[in-house]
Amino acid sequence: MINKIFATPEAALADVPDGATVMISGFGGAGMPALLIDGLIAQGATNLTVVNNNAGNADSGLAALIGAGRVRKILCTFPRQADSWHFDKLYRAGKLELELVPQGTLAERIRAAGAGIGAFFTPTAFGTRLAEGKETRHINGRDYVLEYPIHADYALLKADRADRWGNLSYRKTARNFAPIMASAAKCTVVQVRETVALGELDPETVVTPGIFVQRVIKSPS
Amino acid sequence: MKKFDRKQMAARVAQDIPEGAYVNLGIGLPTLVADYLPKGREIILHSENGVLGIGPRPPEGEEDEDLINAGKEPVTLLAGGSYFHHADSFAMIRGRHLDYCVLGAFQVSAAGDLANWHTGAPDAIPAVGGAMDLAVGAKQVLVMMEHLTKDGKSKLVERCSYPLTGARCVNRIYTDLAVIDVTPDGLHLVEIVAEDLSFDELQKLSGVPLRYRAAA
């Protein structure tokens, strides 16, 4: 019997090695998997490359992972926030590498990884410093920049409901990056508000099919 | 001369958004436009973080942390609204499905180059968000900004001195002094909005030549 539901974050994250690339869902706080990030901090893996839209807020979640010195490099679109002090401090000290990516390019690079695409041309950032040194091409009267997929070893995601096959549904704008990150990682770990019996999720409302999901944790209510 | 205030600027932009338009409003000043969309027009607001059909800010105490806009402010969803993931959201932007985006700016050049994401200061922490995608993707890119910097320099420039967000991407500029179109032969004044400001005075305050096309 397939059962992707794990008992604890510790069990679901036990094998994350030092140096892993970890995608973390969320846009600010919406959709951020706080339980799994806390689990990763406790687990101790370090020298991580993290992919997220932001670089953490205040002292919890991704900010705590950064503050604990576990992150070597971050790929994100908007690190600077009023309360991104952990990122700001390490970045300014040269202890945290930043790859700044336009938001649509970040999303498409993640999507491309999950979809088996080798690279793609996008018009975004052409003629700007974020395209410096990148291959470009003129196609049908428009200029494009070549971008490569972002693959991950792990994706830590938050969803609303899951069944034991790993089918997922989300809640409102907390969905954001989670469905594409689920497809781009070798091992996708999801925290959900509720686990339900197989068949309880209306197949028409499953946003992420279980084929993209390896492990599920139910948040304590 | 009496300049437009921020609310008047927002109302002036809102007046130009037609019935049925799909629109993304940038963070900051452009977000104000939502409050001035003419009643009776159905206009669908998009946000980068995966939502179409944004409604007004919820009453205090009814905020939902799972329902926010790109500025991470709580919003509501109108009947007919929808949620989708980030790659779909940017397919809407980059794939030319959005009719308008309204963006703030540090500078706009005579050719329609936009600089709005980085001051170029070496110690600044860079952040770009969805600005570069919106700049190349929306069918019409509208810029909303003060005409002058705090120290009185024109934000309309021959060449942007700040790093570009997008090249030749701006269609129309709304300032606290005027509405200006970007055309293949330069900037054309559409309308002076400040009170008691002549064309010659506006020209003196602007860093680039403005043309004025009398209504045909």
Side-chain angles (χ1 to χ4, degrees):
Chain A
M1 187 180 89
I2 297 169
N3 186 13
K4 298 182 181 178
I5 299 172
F6 278 55
T8 63
E10 291 72 33
L13 297 169
D15 54 6
V16 179
D18 290 351
T21 295
V22 181
M23 290 179 174
I24 300 178
S25 67
F27 186 87
M32 175 168 291
L35 179 73
L36 294 176
I37 297 171
D38 288 347
L40 186 60
I41 293 170
Q43 190 262 12
T46 191
N47 202 24
L48 302 170
T49 295
V50 166
V51 184
N52 182 262
N53 186 66
N54 301 100
N57 297 87
D59 298 312
S60 61
L62 177 54
L65 185 69
I66 291 170
R70 303 290 172 69
V71 182
R72 179 188 71 78
K73 178 179 178 181
I74 187 157
L75 289 84
C76 72
T77 83
F78 213 92
R80 187 184 66 228
Q81 309 265 284
D83 58 355
S84 59
W85 47 74
H86 288 292
F87 170 84
D88 297 3
K89 187 177 161 203
L90 290 169
Y91 176 73
R92 290 221 155 95
K95 290 178 178 165
L96 179 51
E97 186 185 339
L98 169 67
E99 181 175 340
L100 190 76
V101 186
Q103 202 168 123
T105 301
L106 183 72
E108 194 62 15
R109 288 177 66 189
I110 295 168
R111 196 200 70 83
I117 301 297
F120 60 91
F121 283 101
T122 178
T124 301
F126 182 86
T128 77
R129 63 164 66 171
L130 293 188
E132 274 170 20
K134 292 183 176 174
E135 194 175 331
T136 61
R137 192 174 297 183
H138 194 73
I139 305 169
N140 290 332
R142 265 195 118 181
D143 293 306
Y144 295 84
V145 180
L146 185 67
E147 292 285 355
Y148 292 91
I150 303 169
H151 295 271
D153 300 303
Y154 289 81
L156 308 189
L157 312 180
K158 182 181 177 185
D160 190 49
R161 304 171 89 205
D163 60 27
R164 65 178 174 80
W165 281 11
N167 295 306
L168 305 178
S169 67
Y170 298 90
R171 189 167 178 275
K172 303 186 179 183
T173 57
R175 180 183 308 188
N176 57 67
F177 284 93
I180 49 175
M181 287 179 168
S183 68
K186 286 181 208 140
C187 180
T188 292
V189 187
V190 189
Q191 74 170 69
V192 295
R193 181 181 58 85
E194 187 182 21
T195 51
V196 298
L198 218 54
E200 258 192 58
L201 290 176
D202 177 350
E204 301 285 2
T205 68
V206 171
V207 173
T208 298
I211 191 169
F212 298 125
V213 174
Q214 280 68 46
R215 300 169 187 175
V216 172
I217 293 288
K218 183 185 173 303
S219 298
S221 38
Chain B
M1 173 185 55
K2 187 164 181 288
K3 296 179 181 182
F4 256 15
D5 64 21
R6 291 161 62 91
K7 291 174 178 176
Q8 289 172 306
M9 289 170 73
R12 180 61 191 82
V13 175
Q15 189 188 314
D16 285 354
I17 311 279
E19 162 79 12
Y22 289 89
V23 182
N24 182 295
L25 301 176
I27 295 169
L29 187 56
T31 305
L32 268 185
V33 172
D35 297 337
Y36 296 92
L37 293 170
K39 289 190 174 39
R41 280 187 211 167
E42 258 189 338
I43 290 166
I44 299 177
L45 298 181
H46 169 273
S47 197
E48 291 94 310
N49 57 315
V51 53
L52 268 174
I54 296 171
R57 195 183 174 90
E60 209 173 314
E62 289 176 39
E63 298 91 348
D64 182 336
E65 62 180 14
D66 286 344
L67 183 46
I68 59 173
N69 64 15
K72 305 189 174 83
E73 301 159 326
V75 294
T76 53
L77 190 74
L78 300 178
S82 55
Y83 304 117
F84 35 87
H85 65 61
H86 246 84
D88 279 352
S89 187
F90 280 84
M92 294 174 194
I93 295 172
R94 212 191 297 101
R96 293 229 179 262
H97 305 283
L98 275 186
D99 297 301
Y100 296 88
C101 72
V102 185
L103 298 172
F106 298 142
Q107 294 174 324
V108 178
S109 81
D113 297 342
L114 170 66
N116 81 348
W117 71 285
H118 200 307
T119 60
D123 63 336
I125 292 176
V128 65
M132 288 188 178
D133 304 280
L134 287 162
V136 300
K139 290 179 195 164
Q140 293 282 314
V141 175
L142 312 182
V143 162
M144 193 178 167
M145 65 179 189
E146 283 82 28
H147 206 91
L148 304 172
T149 63
K150 287 197 179 81
D151 50 355
K153 292 202 180 79
S154 174
K155 293 169 83 170
L156 298 173
V157 293
E158 279 298 341
R159 266 181 78 94
C160 294
S161 57
Y162 290 147
L164 290 192
T165 305
R168 297 178 180 273
C169 58
V170 177
N171 298 99
R172 180 171 269 200
I173 306 154
Y174 297 81
T175 78
D176 47 358
L177 303 184
V179 180
I180 294 158
D181 274 345
V182 181
T183 76
D185 59 341
L187 300 182
H188 280 251
L189 175 68
V190 176
E191 175 187 336
I192 293 176
V193 298
E195 282 175 39
D196 301 321
L197 177 68
S198 71
F199 178 79
D200 287 346
E201 289 164 330
L202 176 69
Q203 180 61 77
K204 275 183 202 145
L205 292 170
S206 305
V208 288
L210 302 175
R211 293 162 186 256
Y212 185 60
R213 186 175 35 187

